[in-house]
Coordinates of all heavy atoms in Angstrom, one line a residue:
M1 N 13.5 57.1 27.3 CA 13.5 56.4 28.6 C 13.6 54.9 28.3 O 13.2 54.4 27.3 CB 12.1 56.6 29.3 CG 11.8 58.1 29.5 SD 12.9 59.1 30.4 CE 13.1 58.2 32.0
L2 N 14.3 54.3 29.2 CA 14.4 52.8 29.2 C 13.8 52.2 30.5 O 14.0 52.8 31.5 CB 15.9 52.4 29.1 CG 16.7 53.1 28.0 CD1 18.2 52.8 28.2 CD2 16.3 52.5 26.7
F3 N 13.1 51.1 30.3 CA 12.4 50.5 31.4 C 12.8 49.1 31.6 O 13.0 48.3 30.6 CB 10.9 50.6 31.2 CG 10.4 52.0 31.0 CD1 10.2 52.5 29.7 CD2 10.1 52.8 32.1 CE1 9.7 53.8 29.5 CE2 9.6 54.1 31.9 CZ 9.4 54.6 30.6
A4 N 12.9 48.7 32.9 CA 13.2 47.3 33.2 C 12.5 47.0 34.5 O 12.1 47.9 35.3 CB 14.7 47.1 33.3
I5 N 12.4 45.7 34.8 CA 11.7 45.2 36.0 C 12.8 44.5 36.9 O 13.5 43.7 36.4 CB 10.6 44.2 35.7 CG1 9.4 44.9 35.0 CG2 10.1 43.5 37.0 CD1 8.6 45.8 35.8
D6 N 12.8 44.9 38.2 CA 13.5 44.1 39.2 C 12.5 43.3 39.9 O 11.7 43.8 40.7 CB 14.2 45.1 40.1 CG 15.1 44.4 41.2 OD1 14.8 43.2 41.5 OD2 16.1 45.0 41.7
F7 N 12.5 42.0 39.6 CA 11.4 41.1 40.1 C 11.7 40.9 41.6 O 10.7 40.6 42.3 CB 11.4 39.8 39.3 CG 10.8 40.0 38.0 CD1 11.6 40.0 36.8 CD2 9.4 40.1 37.8 CE1 11.1 40.1 35.6 CE2 8.9 40.3 36.5 CZ 9.7 40.3 35.4
T8 N 12.9 41.0 42.1 CA 13.2 40.7 43.5 C 12.6 41.8 44.4 O 12.0 41.5 45.4 CB 14.7 40.7 43.7 OG1 15.3 39.7 42.8 CG2 15.1 40.4 45.1
T9 N 12.7 43.1 44.0 CA 12.2 44.2 44.8 C 10.9 44.7 44.3 O 10.3 45.5 44.9 CB 13.2 45.3 44.8 OG1 13.4 45.8 43.4 CG2 14.6 44.9 45.4
E10 N 10.4 44.1 43.2 CA 9.1 44.5 42.5 C 9.2 46.0 42.3 O 8.3 46.8 42.7 CB 7.9 44.1 43.4 CG 7.7 42.6 43.4 CD 6.3 42.3 43.9 OE1 5.7 43.0 44.7 OE2 5.8 41.2 43.5
E11 N 10.2 46.5 41.5 CA 10.3 47.9 41.2 C 10.6 48.0 39.7 O 11.2 47.1 39.0 CB 11.5 48.5 41.9 CG 11.4 48.6 43.4 CD 12.7 49.0 44.0 OE1 13.7 48.5 43.7 OE2 12.6 49.9 44.9
V12 N 10.1 49.1 39.1 CA 10.5 49.4 37.7 C 11.7 50.3 37.8 O 11.8 51.2 38.6 CB 9.3 50.3 37.1 CG1 9.8 50.8 35.7 CG2 8.1 49.5 37.0
I13 N 12.7 49.9 37.0 CA 14.0 50.6 36.9 C 13.9 51.5 35.7 O 13.7 51.1 34.6 CB 15.2 49.7 36.8 CG1 15.3 48.7 38.0 CG2 16.5 50.5 36.7 CD1 16.2 47.6 37.8
V14 N 14.0 52.8 36.0 CA 13.9 53.8 34.9 C 15.3 54.4 34.6 O 16.0 54.8 35.5 CB 12.9 54.9 35.3 CG1 12.7 55.9 34.1 CG2 11.5 54.4 35.7
S15 N 15.7 54.4 33.4 CA 16.9 54.9 32.9 C 16.7 55.7 31.7 O 15.6 55.7 31.1 CB 17.9 53.8 32.6 OG 18.1 52.9 33.7
D16 N 17.8 56.4 31.3 CA 17.7 57.1 30.0 C 19.0 57.0 29.3 O 20.0 56.6 29.9 CB 17.2 58.6 30.1 CG 18.3 59.5 30.8 OD1 19.4 59.0 31.1 OD2 18.0 60.7 31.0
S17 N 19.0 57.3 28.0 CA 20.2 57.2 27.2 C 20.1 58.4 26.2 O 19.2 58.4 25.4 CB 20.2 55.9 26.4 OG 21.4 55.8 25.6
P18 N 21.1 59.3 26.3 CA 21.1 60.4 25.3 C 21.1 59.9 23.9 O 21.8 58.9 23.6 CB 22.4 61.1 25.7 CG 22.8 60.7 27.0 CD 22.2 59.3 27.2
K19 N 20.4 60.6 23.0 CA 20.4 60.2 21.6 C 21.8 60.1 21.0 O 22.6 61.0 21.2 CB 19.5 61.2 20.8 CG 19.1 60.8 19.5 CD 18.0 61.6 18.9 CE 17.5 60.9 17.7 NZ 16.1 61.2 17.5
G20 N 22.0 59.0 20.3 CA 23.3 58.8 19.7 C 24.4 58.3 20.6 O 25.6 58.2 20.2
S21 N 24.0 58.0 21.8 CA 25.0 57.5 22.8 C 24.7 56.1 23.2 O 23.5 55.7 23.2 CB 24.9 58.4 24.0 OG 25.7 57.9 25.1
N22 N 25.7 55.4 23.6 CA 25.5 54.0 24.2 C 25.5 54.0 25.7 O 25.2 53.0 26.3 CB 26.7 53.1 23.7 CG 26.6 52.8 22.3 OD1 25.5 52.8 21.7 ND2 27.8 52.5 21.7
A23 N 25.7 55.2 26.3 CA 25.6 55.3 27.7 C 24.2 55.3 28.3 O 23.3 55.8 27.7 CB 26.3 56.7 28.2
V24 N 24.1 54.6 29.4 CA 22.8 54.5 30.0 C 22.9 55.1 31.4 O 23.8 54.8 32.2 CB 22.3 53.0 30.1 CG1 21.0 52.9 30.9 CG2 22.2 52.4 28.7
H25 N 22.0 56.0 31.7 CA 22.0 56.7 33.0 C 20.8 56.3 33.9 O 19.7 56.5 33.4 CB 22.0 58.2 32.8 CG 23.2 58.7 31.9 ND1 24.5 58.7 32.4 CD2 23.2 59.0 30.6 CE1 25.2 59.2 31.4 NE2 24.5 59.3 30.3
F26 N 21.0 55.9 35.1 CA 20.0 55.5 36.0 C 19.2 56.8 36.4 O 19.8 57.9 36.6 CB 20.6 54.9 37.3 CG 19.6 54.7 38.4 CD1 18.7 53.6 38.3 CD2 19.5 55.6 39.4 CE1 17.8 53.4 39.3 CE2 18.6 55.4 40.5 CZ 17.7 54.3 40.4
V27 N 17.9 56.7 36.4 CA 17.0 57.8 36.7 C 16.4 57.6 38.1 O 16.6 58.3 39.0 CB 15.9 58.1 35.7 CG1 14.9 59.1 36.2 CG2 16.5 58.4 34.3
E28 N 15.7 56.5 38.2 CA 15.0 56.1 39.5 C 14.5 54.7 39.5 O 14.3 54.1 38.5 CB 13.9 57.1 39.9 CG 12.7 57.0 39.1 CD 11.6 58.0 39.5 OE1 11.3 58.0 40.7 OE2 11.0 58.7 38.7
R29 N 14.1 54.3 40.7 CA 13.3 53.0 40.8 C 11.9 53.4 41.3 O 11.8 54.2 42.2 CB 14.0 52.1 41.9 CG 15.2 51.5 41.4 CD 15.9 50.7 42.5 NE 16.9 49.8 42.0 CZ 16.8 48.5 41.7 NH1 15.6 47.9 41.9 NH2 17.8 47.8 41.2
V30 N 10.9 52.8 40.7 CA 9.5 53.1 41.0 C 8.9 51.8 41.6 O 8.8 50.8 40.9 CB 8.7 53.6 39.8 CG1 7.2 53.8 40.2 CG2 9.3 54.8 39.2
P31 N 8.6 51.8 42.9 CA 8.1 50.6 43.5 C 6.7 50.3 42.9 O 5.9 51.2 42.6 CB 7.9 51.0 45.0 CG 8.8 52.1 45.2 CD 8.9 52.9 43.9
R32 N 6.5 49.0 42.8 CA 5.2 48.5 42.3 C 4.0 49.1 43.1 O 3.0 49.5 42.5 CB 5.1 47.0 42.4 CG 3.8 46.4 41.9 CD 3.9 44.9 42.0 NE 2.7 44.3 41.3 CZ 2.6 43.0 41.1 NH1 3.6 42.1 41.5 NH2 1.5 42.5 40.6
T33 N 4.2 49.3 44.4 CA 3.1 49.8 45.2 C 2.8 51.3 44.9 O 1.7 51.8 45.2 CB 3.5 49.7 46.7 OG1 4.8 50.4 46.9 CG2 3.6 48.3 47.1
K34 N 3.8 52.0 44.3 CA 3.6 53.4 43.9 C 2.9 53.6 42.6 O 2.3 54.6 42.3 CB 4.9 54.2 43.9 CG 5.6 54.3 45.3 CD 5.5 55.7 45.7 CE 6.2 55.7 47.1 NZ 6.4 57.0 47.6
N35 N 3.1 52.6 41.7 CA 2.5 52.7 40.4 C 2.3 51.3 39.7 O 3.1 50.9 38.9 CB 3.3 53.6 39.4 CG 2.5 54.0 38.2 OD1 1.7 53.3 37.7 ND2 2.8 55.3 37.8
E36 N 1.2 50.7 40.1 CA 0.9 49.3 39.6 C 0.7 49.3 38.1 O 1.2 48.4 37.4 CB -0.4 48.8 40.3 CG -0.8 47.4 39.8 CD 0.1 46.3 40.3 OE1 0.7 46.4 41.3 OE2 0.1 45.2 39.6
I37 N 0.2 50.3 37.5 CA -0.1 50.4 36.1 C 1.3 50.4 35.3 O 1.4 49.7 34.3 CB -0.9 51.6 35.7 CG1 -2.3 51.4 36.3 CG2 -1.0 51.8 34.2 CD1 -3.2 52.7 36.2
L38 N 2.2 51.2 35.8 CA 3.5 51.3 35.1 C 4.2 49.9 35.3 O 4.8 49.4 34.3 CB 4.4 52.4 35.7 CG 5.8 52.4 35.2 CD1 5.8 52.8 33.7 CD2 6.6 53.5 36.0
Y39 N 4.1 49.3 36.4 CA 4.7 48.0 36.7 C 4.2 47.0 35.7 O 5.0 46.3 35.0 CB 4.5 47.6 38.1 CG 5.2 46.3 38.5 CD1 6.5 46.3 38.9 CD2 4.6 45.1 38.4 CE1 7.2 45.2 39.3 CE2 5.2 43.9 38.8 CZ 6.5 43.9 39.2 OH 7.2 42.8 39.6
Q40 N 2.9 46.9 35.5 CA 2.3 45.9 34.6 C 2.6 46.2 33.2 O 2.8 45.3 32.3 CB 0.8 45.9 34.8 CG 0.4 45.3 36.2 CD 0.9 43.9 36.4 OE1 1.0 43.1 35.5 NE2 1.2 43.6 37.7
A41 N 2.7 47.5 32.8 CA 3.0 47.9 31.4 C 4.4 47.5 31.1 O 4.7 47.0 30.0 CB 2.8 49.4 31.3
V42 N 5.4 47.6 32.0 CA 6.7 47.2 31.8 C 6.9 45.7 31.7 O 7.6 45.2 31.0 CB 7.7 47.9 32.8 CG1 9.1 47.4 32.5 CG2 7.7 49.4 32.7
I43 N 6.1 45.0 32.5 CA 6.0 43.5 32.4 C 5.6 43.2 31.0 O 6.2 42.3 30.4 CB 5.0 42.9 33.4 CG1 5.5 43.2 34.8 CG2 4.7 41.5 33.1 CD1 6.1 42.0 35.6
T44 N 4.6 43.8 30.4 CA 4.1 43.5 29.1 C 5.2 43.9 28.1 O 5.5 43.1 27.1 CB 2.8 44.3 28.8 OG1 1.8 44.0 29.7 CG2 2.4 44.1 27.3
L45 N 5.9 45.0 28.2 CA 7.0 45.4 27.3 C 8.1 44.3 27.4 O 8.5 43.9 26.3 CB 7.5 46.7 27.8 CG 8.7 47.3 27.0 CD1 8.2 47.7 25.6 CD2 9.3 48.5 27.7
T46 N 8.4 43.8 28.5 CA 9.4 42.8 28.7 C 9.0 41.5 28.0 O 9.8 40.9 27.3 CB 9.7 42.5 30.2 OG1 10.1 43.8 30.8 CG2 10.8 41.5 30.3
S47 N 7.7 41.2 28.1 CA 7.2 39.9 27.5 C 7.3 40.0 25.9 O 7.5 39.0 25.3 CB 5.8 39.6 28.0 OG 4.9 40.5 27.5
I48 N 7.1 41.2 25.4 CA 7.1 41.4 24.0 C 8.5 41.1 23.5 O 8.7 40.5 22.4 CB 6.7 42.9 23.6 CG1 5.2 43.0 23.8 CG2 7.0 43.2 22.1 CD1 4.7 44.5 23.7
T49 N 9.5 41.5 24.2 CA 10.9 41.3 23.8 C 11.3 39.8 23.8 O 12.2 39.4 23.1 CB 12.0 42.0 24.7 OG1 11.9 41.5 26.0 CG2 11.7 43.5 24.7
K50 N 10.6 39.0 24.6 CA 10.9 37.6 24.7 C 10.1 36.7 23.8 O 10.3 35.5 23.7 CB 10.6 37.1 26.2 CG 11.5 37.8 27.2 CD 11.2 37.3 28.6 CE 12.1 38.0 29.6 NZ 11.8 37.6 31.0
S51 N 9.2 37.4 23.0 CA 8.3 36.6 22.1 C 9.1 36.1 20.9 O 9.9 36.8 20.3 CB 7.2 37.5 21.6 OG 6.4 36.8 20.6
P52 N 8.9 34.8 20.5 CA 9.5 34.3 19.3 C 9.0 35.1 18.0 O 9.7 35.1 17.0 CB 9.1 32.9 19.2 CG 8.5 32.5 20.6 CD 8.1 33.8 21.2
Q53 N 7.8 35.7 18.1 CA 7.3 36.5 17.0 C 7.5 38.0 17.3 O 6.5 38.7 17.2 CB 5.8 36.2 16.8 CG 5.5 34.8 16.4 CD 5.3 33.9 17.6 OE1 5.0 34.3 18.7 NE2 5.5 32.6 17.4
F54 N 8.7 38.4 17.7 CA 9.0 39.7 18.1 C 8.5 40.7 17.0 O 8.8 40.5 15.8 CB 10.5 40.0 18.3 CG 10.8 41.4 18.7 CD1 10.5 41.9 19.9 CD2 11.4 42.2 17.7 CE1 10.8 43.2 20.2 CE2 11.7 43.5 18.0 CZ 11.4 44.0 19.3
D55 N 7.7 41.7 17.4 CA 7.2 42.7 16.4 C 7.7 44.1 16.9 O 7.3 44.6 18.0 CB 5.7 42.7 16.5 CG 5.0 43.6 15.5 OD1 5.6 44.7 15.2 OD2 3.9 43.3 15.1
S56 N 8.6 44.7 16.1 CA 9.3 45.9 16.5 C 8.2 47.1 16.6 O 8.4 47.9 17.5 CB 10.4 46.3 15.6 OG 10.0 46.5 14.3
A57 N 7.2 47.1 15.8 CA 6.2 48.1 15.8 C 5.4 48.0 17.1 O 5.1 49.0 17.8 CB 5.3 48.0 14.6
L58 N 5.1 46.8 17.5 CA 4.3 46.6 18.8 C 5.2 47.0 19.9 O 4.8 47.6 20.9 CB 3.9 45.1 18.9 CG 3.1 44.7 20.1 CD1 1.9 45.5 20.2 CD2 2.8 43.2 20.1
F59 N 6.5 46.6 19.9 CA 7.4 47.0 21.0 C 7.5 48.5 21.1 O 7.4 49.0 22.2 CB 8.8 46.4 20.7 CG 9.9 46.9 21.7 CD1 10.0 46.3 22.9 CD2 10.7 48.0 21.4 CE1 10.9 46.8 23.9 CE2 11.6 48.5 22.3 CZ 11.7 47.8 23.5
K60 N 7.7 49.2 20.0 CA 7.8 50.7 20.0 C 6.5 51.3 20.6 O 6.5 52.3 21.3 CB 8.1 51.2 18.6 CG 9.5 51.0 18.2 CD 9.7 51.5 16.8 CE 11.1 51.1 16.3 NZ 11.4 51.5 14.9
A61 N 5.3 50.8 20.2 CA 4.1 51.3 20.7 C 3.9 51.1 22.2 O 3.6 52.0 23.0 CB 2.9 50.6 20.0
M62 N 4.3 49.9 22.7 CA 4.2 49.6 24.1 C 5.3 50.4 24.9 O 5.0 50.9 26.0 CB 4.4 48.1 24.4 CG 4.1 47.7 25.8 SD 2.3 48.0 26.1 CE 2.3 48.2 27.8
D63 N 6.4 50.6 24.3 CA 7.4 51.5 24.9 C 6.9 52.9 25.1 O 7.1 53.6 26.1 CB 8.7 51.5 24.1 CG 9.9 52.2 24.8 OD1 10.2 51.9 25.9 OD2 10.4 53.1 24.2
K64 N 6.2 53.4 24.1 CA 5.6 54.7 24.1 C 4.5 54.8 25.3 O 4.5 55.8 26.0 CB 5.0 55.1 22.8 CG 4.6 56.5 22.7 CD 4.2 56.8 21.2 CE 4.0 58.3 21.1 NZ 3.8 58.7 19.7
V65 N 3.8 53.7 25.4 CA 2.7 53.7 26.4 C 3.4 53.7 27.8 O 3.0 54.5 28.7 CB 1.9 52.4 26.3 CG1 1.1 52.1 27.6 CG2 1.0 52.5 25.1
C66 N 4.5 53.0 28.0 CA 5.3 53.0 29.3 C 5.8 54.4 29.5 O 5.7 54.9 30.7 CB 6.4 52.0 29.2 SG 5.9 50.3 29.2
G67 N 6.3 55.1 28.5 CA 6.8 56.4 28.6 C 5.7 57.4 29.0 O 5.8 58.3 29.9
M68 N 4.5 57.3 28.4 CA 3.3 58.1 28.8 C 2.9 57.9 30.2 O 2.6 58.8 31.0 CB 2.2 57.9 27.8 CG 2.5 58.5 26.4 SD 1.1 58.4 25.3 CE 0.6 56.7 25.3
I69 N 2.8 56.6 30.7 CA 2.4 56.3 32.0 C 3.5 56.9 33.0 O 3.1 57.5 34.0 CB 2.3 54.8 32.2 CG1 1.1 54.2 31.4 CG2 2.1 54.4 33.7 CD1 1.1 52.7 31.3
Y70 N 4.7 56.8 32.7 CA 5.8 57.3 33.6 C 5.7 58.8 33.6 O 5.8 59.4 34.7 CB 7.2 56.9 33.1 CG 8.3 57.4 34.0 CD1 8.5 57.0 35.3 CD2 9.1 58.4 33.5 CE1 9.4 57.5 36.1 CE2 10.1 59.0 34.3 CZ 10.3 58.5 35.6 OH 11.3 59.0 36.4
T71 N 5.5 59.5 32.5 CA 5.4 60.9 32.4 C 4.2 61.4 33.2 O 4.3 62.4 34.0 CB 5.3 61.4 31.0 OG1 6.5 61.0 30.3 CG2 5.2 62.9 30.9
N72 N 3.1 60.7 33.1 CA 1.9 61.0 33.9 C 2.2 60.9 35.4 O 1.8 61.7 36.2 CB 0.7 60.2 33.5 CG -0.5 60.6 34.2 OD1 -0.7 61.7 34.7 ND2 -1.5 59.7 34.1
Y73 N 2.9 59.8 35.8 CA 3.3 59.5 37.2 C 4.1 60.7 37.7 O 3.9 61.1 38.8 CB 4.0 58.2 37.2 CG 4.7 57.9 38.5 CD1 4.1 57.6 39.7 CD2 6.1 58.0 38.6 CE1 4.7 57.4 40.9 CE2 6.8 57.8 39.7 CZ 6.1 57.5 40.9 OH 6.8 57.2 42.1
K74 N 5.1 61.1 36.9 CA 6.0 62.2 37.4 C 5.3 63.5 37.5 O 5.7 64.4 38.3 CB 7.2 62.3 36.5 CG 8.2 61.2 36.5 CD 8.6 60.8 37.9 CE 9.5 61.9 38.5 NZ 10.0 61.5 39.9
G75 N 4.2 63.7 36.7 CA 3.5 64.9 36.7 C 2.6 65.1 37.9 O 2.1 66.1 38.3
N76 N 2.3 63.9 38.6 CA 1.4 63.9 39.7 C 2.1 64.0 41.0 O 2.9 63.5 41.5 CB 0.4 62.7 39.7 CG -0.6 62.8 38.5 OD1 -0.9 63.9 38.1 ND2 -1.0 61.7 38.0

């Protein structure tokens, strides 16, 4: 799963990319009002990518957290 924030609409943009592919496929938009926790987690993920002290292990861990939150959201 790939996550991004649309700050204009306050939505999480969820996409996926098949393993070994450069193609990105849109999955859905999740409004902040539907899942505040996911929205804030993706904000944190985005801030990690902008850090001058980028830590790939931290990024991967936060990406996994975003994936778990999204999976939980889809299960409910």
Side-chain angles (χ1 to χ4, degrees):
M1 303 306 302
L2 304 168
F3 301 98
I5 294 286
D6 182 334
F7 289 103
T8 304
T9 60
E10 292 193 332
E11 296 172 310
V12 174
I13 302 168
V14 182
S15 304
D16 69 2
S17 179
K19 193 165 191 148
S21 171
N22 290 335
V24 176
H25 305 284
F26 172 77
V27 174
E28 72 174 309
R29 286 176 168 262
V30 179
R32 180 179 188 171
T33 56
K34 295 249 179 171
N35 196 323
E36 178 71 27
I37 295 170
L38 177 62
Y39 186 85
Q40 293 301 328
V42 177
I43 294 256
T44 300
L45 180 69
T46 303
S47 70
I48 291 168
T49 66
K50 294 177 181 179
S51 172
Q53 298 88 21
F54 178 76
D55 182 332
S56 63
L58 180 59
F59 174 82
K60 288 177 185 177
M62 192 63 208
D63 185 56
K64 191 171 189 175
V65 167
C66 290
M68 289 187 305
I69 294 168
Y70 179 71
T71 299
N72 186 18
Y73 165 74
K74 291 308 290 181
N76 290 332

